[in-house]
Short mmCIF file of all heavy atoms in Angstrom, two decimals:
data_model
loop_
_atom_site.label_atom_id
_atom_site.label_comp_id
_atom_site.label_asym_id
_atom_site.label_seq_id
_atom_site.Cartn_x
_atom_site.Cartn_y
_atom_site.Cartn_z
N PRO A 643 14.78 5.43 71.46
CA PRO A 643 15.95 4.87 72.19
C PRO A 643 16.34 5.71 73.35
O PRO A 643 16.17 6.87 73.24
CB PRO A 643 16.96 4.75 70.96
CG PRO A 643 16.54 5.87 70.02
CD PRO A 643 15.11 5.91 70.10
N THR A 646 21.80 8.27 75.18
CA THR A 646 23.18 7.97 75.77
C THR A 646 23.90 9.36 75.81
O THR A 646 23.49 10.25 75.20
CB THR A 646 23.91 7.11 74.65
OG1 THR A 646 24.06 7.79 73.40
CG2 THR A 646 23.24 5.76 74.43
N ILE A 662 22.49 29.76 67.60
CA ILE A 662 23.27 30.71 66.97
C ILE A 662 22.78 31.30 65.71
O ILE A 662 22.76 32.46 65.41
CB ILE A 662 24.76 30.15 66.70
CG1 ILE A 662 25.48 29.93 68.02
CG2 ILE A 662 25.57 31.09 65.72
CD1 ILE A 662 26.75 29.16 67.88
N GLY A 670 19.68 40.86 62.82
CA GLY A 670 19.66 41.51 61.44
C GLY A 670 20.33 40.71 60.36
O GLY A 670 20.48 41.18 59.28
N THR A 676 31.34 38.78 69.17
CA THR A 676 30.93 39.34 70.55
C THR A 676 29.48 39.35 70.66
O THR A 676 28.88 38.93 71.71
CB THR A 676 31.62 40.48 70.91
OG1 THR A 676 33.08 40.32 70.86
CG2 THR A 676 31.25 40.98 72.27
N ALA A 679 27.77 35.95 70.78
CA ALA A 679 28.06 35.23 71.94
C ALA A 679 27.19 35.82 73.06
O ALA A 679 26.64 35.07 73.89
CB ALA A 679 29.50 35.34 72.31
N VAL A 682 23.57 34.65 72.68
CA VAL A 682 23.20 33.31 73.19
C VAL A 682 23.76 32.92 74.55
O VAL A 682 23.69 31.86 75.06
CB VAL A 682 23.79 32.16 72.20
CG1 VAL A 682 23.12 32.35 70.78
CG2 VAL A 682 25.34 32.40 72.07
N GLU A 684 26.87 32.70 75.84
CA GLU A 684 27.96 31.74 75.82
C GLU A 684 29.28 32.46 75.56
O GLU A 684 29.31 33.63 75.21
CB GLU A 684 27.78 30.64 74.70
CG GLU A 684 26.59 29.66 74.88
CD GLU A 684 26.84 28.71 76.02
OE1 GLU A 684 27.87 28.66 76.57
OE2 GLU A 684 25.83 27.98 76.38
N ASP A 705 32.65 37.78 56.82
CA ASP A 705 33.07 38.82 55.90
C ASP A 705 34.64 39.04 56.27
O ASP A 705 35.09 39.25 57.36
CB ASP A 705 32.26 40.14 56.31
CG ASP A 705 32.61 41.24 55.33
OD1 ASP A 705 33.65 41.99 55.63
OD2 ASP A 705 31.91 41.49 54.29
N SER A 706 35.35 39.05 55.17
CA SER A 706 36.85 39.18 55.27
C SER A 706 37.28 40.42 55.77
O SER A 706 38.34 40.57 56.38
CB SER A 706 37.46 38.77 53.99
OG SER A 706 37.03 39.60 52.96
N PRO A 715 24.46 31.17 52.29
CA PRO A 715 23.54 30.72 51.24
C PRO A 715 22.59 29.62 51.54
O PRO A 715 21.44 29.58 51.22
CB PRO A 715 24.44 30.30 50.11
CG PRO A 715 25.80 30.16 50.73
CD PRO A 715 25.82 31.00 51.90
N ALA A 724 10.80 28.36 53.44
CA ALA A 724 9.80 28.69 54.43
C ALA A 724 8.86 29.84 53.95
O ALA A 724 7.63 29.73 54.17
CB ALA A 724 10.42 29.12 55.77
N ARG A 726 8.01 30.48 50.99
CA ARG A 726 7.15 30.09 49.83
C ARG A 726 5.94 29.37 50.45
O ARG A 726 4.82 29.32 49.77
CB ARG A 726 7.92 29.22 48.91
CG ARG A 726 8.82 29.91 48.00
CD ARG A 726 9.33 29.08 46.90
NE ARG A 726 10.25 28.03 47.38
CZ ARG A 726 11.61 28.21 47.31
NH1 ARG A 726 12.11 29.37 46.95
NH2 ARG A 726 12.38 27.32 47.75
N ARG A 733 -2.87 29.78 56.01
CA ARG A 733 -2.57 29.90 57.34
C ARG A 733 -3.78 30.33 58.15
O ARG A 733 -3.90 30.06 59.41
CB ARG A 733 -1.41 30.92 57.63
CG ARG A 733 -0.10 30.40 56.98
CD ARG A 733 0.59 29.43 57.90
NE ARG A 733 1.95 29.14 57.34
CZ ARG A 733 2.71 28.27 57.99
NH1 ARG A 733 2.39 27.74 59.01
NH2 ARG A 733 3.91 28.03 57.40
N VAL A 771 -25.71 35.58 59.13
CA VAL A 771 -26.26 36.98 59.12
C VAL A 771 -26.43 37.37 57.61
O VAL A 771 -25.58 37.05 56.75
CB VAL A 771 -25.29 37.93 59.81
CG1 VAL A 771 -25.86 39.37 59.67
CG2 VAL A 771 -25.15 37.48 61.27
N THR A 788 -12.25 46.32 57.59
CA THR A 788 -11.20 45.65 56.79
C THR A 788 -10.36 46.73 56.03
O THR A 788 -9.05 46.75 56.05
CB THR A 788 -11.79 44.61 55.80
OG1 THR A 788 -12.56 43.76 56.49
CG2 THR A 788 -10.64 43.83 55.14
N GLN A 801 -3.71 57.85 46.43
CA GLN A 801 -4.79 57.15 47.03
C GLN A 801 -5.21 57.93 48.32
O GLN A 801 -6.50 57.96 48.56
CB GLN A 801 -4.34 55.81 47.44
CG GLN A 801 -4.45 54.77 46.21
CD GLN A 801 -4.26 53.31 46.63
OE1 GLN A 801 -3.26 52.99 47.19
NE2 GLN A 801 -5.33 52.56 46.39
N ALA A 812 -18.55 63.05 52.16
CA ALA A 812 -19.56 62.23 52.92
C ALA A 812 -20.60 63.05 53.64
O ALA A 812 -20.39 64.20 54.02
CB ALA A 812 -18.78 61.28 53.82
N ALA A 818 -20.61 60.70 61.19
CA ALA A 818 -20.89 60.34 62.60
C ALA A 818 -20.72 58.87 62.77
O ALA A 818 -20.24 58.43 63.93
CB ALA A 818 -22.36 60.80 62.98
N LEU A 820 -18.77 56.89 61.20
CA LEU A 820 -17.31 56.63 61.17
C LEU A 820 -16.61 56.95 62.54
O LEU A 820 -15.62 56.28 62.85
CB LEU A 820 -16.61 57.42 59.99
CG LEU A 820 -15.22 56.98 59.52
CD1 LEU A 820 -15.29 55.50 58.97
CD2 LEU A 820 -14.74 57.89 58.49
N THR A 824 -11.17 63.21 60.22
CA THR A 824 -10.13 63.16 59.32
C THR A 824 -9.59 61.77 59.07
O THR A 824 -9.60 60.98 60.02
CB THR A 824 -8.95 64.21 59.67
OG1 THR A 824 -8.28 63.70 60.82
CG2 THR A 824 -9.60 65.60 60.02
N VAL A 832 -6.74 53.51 64.42
CA VAL A 832 -6.47 51.98 64.16
C VAL A 832 -5.18 51.53 64.66
O VAL A 832 -5.15 50.48 65.33
CB VAL A 832 -6.73 51.75 62.66
CG1 VAL A 832 -6.31 50.35 62.31
CG2 VAL A 832 -8.11 52.05 62.14
N GLY A 860 7.02 42.67 58.72
CA GLY A 860 6.18 43.63 59.45
C GLY A 860 5.09 44.29 58.52
O GLY A 860 4.28 45.05 58.97
N LEU A 879 -13.39 47.12 72.27
CA LEU A 879 -12.01 46.57 72.60
C LEU A 879 -12.07 45.63 73.84
O LEU A 879 -11.22 44.70 73.85
CB LEU A 879 -10.98 47.72 72.85
CG LEU A 879 -10.57 48.56 71.61
CD1 LEU A 879 -9.66 49.67 72.09
CD2 LEU A 879 -9.85 47.64 70.57
N GLY A 881 -14.84 43.90 74.63
CA GLY A 881 -15.91 43.07 74.48
C GLY A 881 -15.40 41.61 74.23
O GLY A 881 -14.16 41.40 74.30
N LEU A 888 -7.88 39.80 67.60
CA LEU A 888 -6.58 40.21 67.80
C LEU A 888 -5.64 39.00 68.05
O LEU A 888 -4.52 38.91 67.48
CB LEU A 888 -6.44 41.30 68.87
CG LEU A 888 -6.85 42.69 68.46
CD1 LEU A 888 -7.10 43.48 69.78
CD2 LEU A 888 -5.86 43.34 67.64
#
Side-chain angles (χ1 to χ4, degrees):
T646 63
I662 289 172
T676 301
V682 298
E684 292 287 353
D705 186 275
S706 58
R726 284 192 288 269
R733 295 279 186 179
V771 178
T788 306
Q801 281 189 296
L820 195 62
T824 69
V832 173
L879 287 176
L888 282 164

